Amino acid sequence: MDPEKLWYTEDHEWIGEVNSVYAVGITQHAQEALGDITFVELPELEREVAAQEETAVVESVKAASDVYAPVSGRVVQVNSELETRPELVNQDPYGKGWFYKLADVITDDLNELMSADEYRAYLAKLEE
Amino acid sequence: MQYTPLHGEYAAHNGKVVDFHGWALPVQFAGIIEEHLHTRQKAGLFDCSHMGEFVLEGADAIAAFDALVYSDMRNLRVGLCRYSAILNERGGVIDDCVGMKLSEELMYLVTNAGPLEQVHALIGGVPGIRNVTAETTKIDLQGPLARDILIELGFDIAGLQYWNGKSATWKGESIVVTRAGYTGEVGYELFVPNAIGVALWRALAQHPAVAPCGLGARDTLRTEVGYPLNGEDLSEDFSPLESGMDRLVKWDKEFAGKAALEQQRKTGDHAVLVAIKSADRRAPRHGFEVKQGGAVVGMVTSGTFGPSVGLGVGLARVAQSVAAQGTALTAGPRDLPVEIAAIPVYAGGTCRKKFV
């Protein structure tokens, strides 16, 4: 996915749309901060998730962190390749390192998220 | 914040620096897993200059130290290293340490950064004991190729066996070398004057088989082979019997806290430190409660993903009733399945290899 065309959360998740299906992952900043990712726990298919609900867990060598749903929707696909190759999240966070995909998304939820420019500004502020 | 003499070298290798017991130290360079695997396959380079070193000169100085540890340090053979722990009057572990006899009445003592002030307060003022921490750069080279690399660089260590040490010279300076290790691989600790610390680090870091490693890889490597870390697995609240050192205690000598330990040994109902592993890549973490059938039976003291075993690995302090190898338990708020494992969890290490 083109990082410029995604929406971003303050918890460093991204979400992007293709044909009304929305892929979710964690950002370049998040994967760098976590370091080597060793395990990703993905949600069950068909699960209805609410915005800001815990939907996945990402473990690095150092720690485990929750991944929250950026928007409400229904899980229609999970990236099962991460079960054996969690390092894809480090290598390609906006591509092969996606976590899961949502359908029936409540698109109003997207208005609460940041654009690429806004997320960049948010990161700059965090580093101050 | 305190800085080691090698602080200026981290940036050249993209070191990411963190605060470790008040010391600015690299947590990683190329990445924890890469550094870990490199150490298991070739050789990892570690700046351990934050650790404490003391020189103990004379029988009385050695005896003063011997009185604080459960091991017999007075009769240690020249050239041998011995692992032990400095105890408080309650028998709690203030620090784990390694003593090495350089000559009949000269001992070199290595301690940790965290409790250094406390250890210094206990022994630093004893006549004949000198705290040389500030003047010493400690560099570890660990991995199956470590010996070849050091020989190539002119170190006289070819015949040095596991848990042996000696004084040597390098670039005309007196140094101390031990072969203890903290990774499960062949490992050397080089204690050199600060004046040649940077030169030694650079000579090693430039070697094609060497990768600089941070605290992150040091932690995954030691956890896979079941070595405890002071401040994580060891603390003053727990005795050697509760810290995996029960078989090392010399009961026929006097030492600080001995009465408390004897009492504990008599009652026999104390917790024990064991290795655990999970069934998959999910890791137990420091502070996780350990449960059996919903009842709390212990606490995880260290936990991480173990890159060489491909599983979560850790250490836990548990009740003896659940300490048998293979016992199934759960850990943490999400009830991660774990089982008691044999130490070392990673058994492929080269550390014991004999060289002629």
Side-chain angles (χ1 to χ4, degrees):
Chain A
M1 295 245 175
D2 178 357
E4 294 305 314
K5 292 179 180 157
L6 306 174
W7 293 269
Y8 295 88
T9 72
E10 291 184 356
D11 299 312
H12 310 286
E13 292 100 2
W14 59 261
I15 181 166
E17 183 252 15
V18 178
N19 298 329
S20 299
V21 173
Y22 291 73
V24 176
I26 65 169
T27 67
Q28 171 70 16
H29 171 87
Q31 72 79 14
E32 259 176 31
L34 288 166
D36 289 334
I37 288 164
T38 55
F39 183 82
V40 179
E41 187 176 314
L42 297 165
E44 289 194 4
L45 284 175
E46 296 303 317
R47 180 172 147 192
E48 305 272 351
V49 300
Q52 290 164 40
E53 190 181 328
E54 292 165 14
T55 43
V57 178
V58 56
E59 290 204 20
S60 71
V61 175
K62 287 175 278 176
S65 325
D66 290 318
V67 177
Y68 303 96
V71 298
S72 304
R74 180 169 54 87
V75 178
V76 291
Q77 207 181 335
V78 295
N79 186 359
S80 46
E81 209 181 346
L82 298 183
E83 283 167 19
T84 49
R85 298 186 62 200
E87 63 273 16
L88 288 174
V89 181
N90 293 117
Q91 292 161 3
D92 192 10
Y94 301 113
K96 287 182 178 153
W98 64 278
F99 280 34
Y100 58 88
K101 289 179 183 172
L102 295 173
D104 306 336
V105 158
I106 301 195
T107 48
D108 279 355
D109 289 349
L110 294 166
N111 300 331
E112 305 296 317
L113 305 178
M114 290 179 270
S115 67
D117 278 340
E118 287 165 338
Y119 181 64
R120 258 191 296 275
Y122 173 71
L123 286 183
K125 219 165 121 189
L126 285 185
E127 273 159 31
E128 268 172 21
Chain B
M1 194 69 75
Q2 299 191 73
Y3 301 91
T4 84
L6 304 177
H7 185 76
E9 302 300 305
Y10 306 154
H13 307 280
N14 295 316
K16 205 174 182 184
V17 175
V18 297
D19 178 347
F20 180 78
H21 292 292
W23 287 86
L25 289 167
V27 64
Q28 66 169 64
F29 292 93
I32 295 174
I33 293 178
E34 191 177 326
E35 293 161 30
H36 174 113
L37 297 175
H38 190 97
T39 302
R40 291 250 183 269
Q41 287 152 10
K42 295 176 178 176
L45 175 64
F46 301 82
D47 177 11
C48 302
S49 306
H50 58 295
M51 292 176 72
E53 296 90 11
F54 295 83
V55 174
L56 286 57
E57 203 170 353
D60 292 346
I62 294 170
F65 165 61
D66 179 84
L68 298 173
V69 299
Y70 57 67
S71 316
D72 182 358
M73 291 292 184
R74 292 195 297 177
N75 298 307
L76 182 62
R77 231 174 56 219
V78 172
L80 286 188
C81 304
R82 184 163 282 166
Y83 178 73
S84 194
I86 298 167
L87 307 179
N88 64 25
E89 285 306 319
R90 294 174 288 120
V93 174
I94 293 171
D95 198 2
D96 60 339
C97 61
V98 174
M100 196 260 292
K101 274 274 184 74
L102 284 166
S103 63
E104 210 46 70
E105 296 208 336
L106 189 64
M107 173 164 272
Y108 200 75
L109 168 65
V110 186
T111 64
N112 287 291
L116 185 58
E117 279 181 27
Q118 212 178 336
V119 171
H120 181 82
L122 283 170
I123 61 167
V126 173
I129 297 187
R130 202 157 55 88
N131 182 341
V132 295
T133 304
E135 63 204 65
T136 306
T137 298
K138 178 182 184 254
I139 294 175
D140 287 10
L141 189 70
Q142 318 235 331
L145 300 185
R147 177 175 175 266
D148 294 347
I149 293 161
L150 291 179
I151 292 172
E152 200 183 313
L153 291 178
F155 287 89
D156 175 22
I157 50 90
L160 199 62
Q161 302 305 334
Y162 192 38
W163 282 89
N164 280 237
K166 61 192 242 178
S167 48
T169 56
W170 193 71
K171 303 243 175 200
E173 297 271 359
S174 296
I175 67 165
V176 170
V177 187
T178 56
R179 184 186 152 194
Y182 194 52
T183 63
E185 304 302 330
V186 173
Y188 299 87
E189 298 78 30
L190 306 166
F191 303 87
V192 308
N194 289 342
I196 57 166
V198 169
L200 173 57
W201 171 274
R202 286 185 184 168
L204 289 167
Q206 281 161 12
H207 193 285
V210 172
C213 298
L215 295 170
R218 196 168 170 81
D219 200 53
T220 55
L221 287 158
R222 68 94 190 167
T223 305
E224 274 190 342
V225 290
Y227 293 145
L229 173 64
N230 191 281
E232 292 282 306
D233 311 287
L234 307 179
S235 89
E236 278 202 73
D237 297 330
F238 299 101
S239 79
L241 307 188
E242 298 162 304
S243 305
M245 303 164 173
D246 48 313
R247 276 174 294 182
L248 306 178
V249 176
K250 280 290 270 186
W251 295 102
D252 59 0
K253 65 162 282 215
E254 296 308 312
F255 55 89
K258 186 181 178 189
L261 257 62
E262 278 177 331
Q263 184 58 36
Q264 223 177 21
R265 186 192 190 196
K266 212 168 96 189
T267 339
D269 59 355
H270 56 82
V272 290
L273 192 67
V274 293
I276 52 172
K277 62 179 182 188
S278 43
D280 58 28
R281 298 170 65 99
R282 283 177 293 174
R285 305 285 177 180
H286 174 85
F288 275 12
E289 280 183 337
V290 178
K291 292 181 188 168
Q292 186 183 49
V296 177
V297 292
M299 183 81 87
V300 175
T301 55
S302 283
T304 180
F305 172 69
S308 298
V309 293
L311 303 172
V313 293
L315 291 170
R317 187 170 278 109
V318 300
Q320 285 181 42
S321 56
V322 301
Q325 205 181 305
T327 307
L329 303 165
T330 61
R334 294 155 55 81
D335 295 322
L336 175 71
V338 294
E339 70 168 57
I340 306 288
I343 290 179
V345 176
Y346 173 72
T350 51
C351 61
R352 291 171 189 281
K353 199 164 172 187
K354 258 193 153 36
F355 296 109
V356 285

